[in-house]
């Protein structure tokens, strides 16, 4: 599928067509998304439909690690996103992207730390934010990260470090 066709599918009014285009984007291991595809994906990350937001975050952020999405991911975790599953994949994506590209991002670190410290947030979201932060900071090998519980109550949290990261 070429970029023009992919954009057409991503901007369709047919939800199943959009979801199929996002699934294909996640399966593609060879061709990073073009600027036009990223723009269409960014719009989907603002969709009223949580399934579309989730799949767009997975495709553009978790799978491709597209850095243009970082500001929106941070905004999602700063209160813009209300769906727990989308929040969790956003937190996981931020950590993965920072870890993948090797660029310590103080803003992203601060957002993840604040989510992990937020006692009003779901324990699973807090745990994913904490482990993503530790991995992005180079303090947690990927194989260990994959084995950890998501629930922050089940983790051995370095609270002093976490508070320092939150600023």
């Amino acid at each position: 599928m070429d970029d023009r066709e992919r954009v057409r599918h991503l901007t369709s009014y047919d939800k199943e067509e959009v979801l199929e285009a996002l699934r294909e984007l996640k399966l593609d291991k060879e061709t990073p998304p073009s600027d036009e595809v990223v723009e269409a994906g960014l719009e989907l990350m603002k969709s009223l439909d949580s399934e579309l937001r989730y799949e767009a975050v997975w495709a553009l952020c978790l799978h491709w690690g597209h850095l243009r999405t970082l500001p929106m991911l941070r905004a999602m975790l700063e209160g813009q996103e209300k769906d727990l599953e989308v929040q969790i994949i956003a937190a996981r994506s931020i950590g993965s992207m920072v870890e993948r590209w090797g660029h310590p991002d103080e803003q992203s670190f601060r957002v993840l730390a604040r989510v992990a410290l937020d006692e009003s947030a779901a324990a699973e979201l807090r745990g994913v934010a904490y482990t993503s932060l530790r991995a992005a900071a180079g303090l947690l090998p990927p194989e260990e990260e994959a084995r950890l519980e998501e629930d922050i109550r089940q983790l051995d949290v370095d609270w002093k470090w976490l508070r320092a990261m939150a600023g």
Side-chain angles (χ1 to χ4, degrees):
M1 177 182 314
D2 69 13
D3 283 340
R4 200 166 68 214
E5 187 178 357
R6 184 167 274 159
V7 169
R8 185 176 59 76
H9 289 295
L10 290 171
T11 57
S12 171
Y13 291 110
D14 179 349
K15 179 179 175 178
E16 290 308 314
E17 184 177 345
V18 174
L19 289 171
E20 183 58 33
L22 288 168
R23 286 184 197 107
E24 287 180 19
L25 190 59
K26 289 188 307 192
L27 292 174
D28 186 344
K29 305 242 188 278
E30 303 296 322
T31 313
S34 68
D35 288 342
E36 295 79 15
V37 170
V38 172
E39 280 303 317
L42 285 167
E43 287 304 310
L44 288 170
M45 288 171 66
K46 297 184 241 175
S47 171
L48 296 176
D49 187 308
S50 63
E51 183 179 14
L52 291 176
R53 291 193 310 275
Y54 181 91
E55 293 296 332
V57 169
W58 186 331
L60 284 178
C61 310
L62 193 60
H63 177 70
W64 282 109
H66 206 288
L67 292 175
R68 280 183 52 206
T69 63
L70 264 176
M72 187 171 295
L73 290 171
R74 288 190 299 256
M76 287 175 147
L77 292 178
E78 290 173 324
Q80 182 178 324
E81 180 59 55
K82 301 302 180 204
D83 184 88
L84 178 60
E85 295 305 315
V86 177
Q87 291 172 334
I88 288 172
I89 199 165
R92 199 177 304 281
S93 295
I94 289 174
S96 172
M97 289 166 64
V98 173
E99 187 179 1
R100 176 187 300 178
W101 297 113
H103 299 299
D105 176 359
E106 286 184 40
Q107 276 184 291
S108 296
F109 282 10
R110 198 173 311 112
V111 168
L112 289 172
R114 289 177 180 167
V115 169
L117 288 167
D118 181 0
E119 293 184 12
S120 70
E124 295 81 9
L125 173 59
R126 294 177 66 208
V128 168
Y130 178 71
T131 57
S132 293
L133 176 60
R134 298 278 297 178
L139 302 172
L140 190 62
E143 56 278 356
E144 186 179 337
E145 179 185 8
R147 286 194 306 264
L148 290 175
E149 295 289 328
E150 289 186 348
D151 187 327
I152 198 163
R153 298 169 296 196
Q154 306 299 318
L155 299 173
D156 183 19
V157 176
D158 182 343
W159 295 105
K160 184 177 177 182
W161 176 82
L162 188 56
R163 283 189 287 281
M165 295 301 291

